[in-house]
Amino acid sequence: MQNNDSLLQLLVDFFDLCTDTRPEDIAQPAIAAWDSLASVQLVAELQSMYHVDFELEEIETLRSYEQIRNALSKKGVSLDKSPVA
């Protein structure tokens, strides 16, 4: 795993994935535990960890590593370092 990718680490920990999971393998259809409740909990975790707020339209698109990364990027979040605690 890329140690400097805080989003990848968050998703691996959140869904209890193997530490060698690749970002391109993280998508809702590929993860059985990623149901509607997990989606709500994940959004809450993302908003807390990165100090952002998502609109409903944005939340509906957060279904993969890449989509989440893009949404955070649009909000000015840099994912190459650990988030501010």
Side-chain angles (χ1 to χ4, degrees):
M1 180 185 320
Q2 299 170 1
N3 292 332
N4 61 345
D5 190 334
S6 62
L7 176 59
L8 181 58
Q9 184 64 53
L10 180 147
L11 293 171
V12 165
D13 292 345
F14 186 86
F15 290 112
D16 196 25
L17 304 173
C18 295
T19 57
D20 62 350
T21 300
R22 300 174 305 164
E24 57 269 22
D25 294 333
I26 299 176
Q28 189 174 21
I31 300 174
W34 197 336
D35 58 14
S36 57
L37 178 58
S39 289
V40 171
Q41 293 169 326
L42 177 59
V43 167
E45 182 74 16
L46 291 166
Q47 290 182 141
S48 173
M49 185 167 183
Y50 294 107
H51 307 287
V52 297
D53 288 313
F54 290 110
E55 299 296 325
L56 182 57
E57 297 78 24
E58 294 172 304
I59 292 170
E60 293 171 350
T61 68
L62 303 178
R63 301 292 181 250
S64 71
Y65 169 89
E66 195 61 39
Q67 290 169 327
I68 295 168
R69 186 175 181 87
N70 289 341
L72 289 169
S73 243
K74 287 179 184 176
K75 294 189 174 292
V77 175
S78 173
L79 295 171
D80 293 329
K81 57 185 178 186
S82 296
V84 176

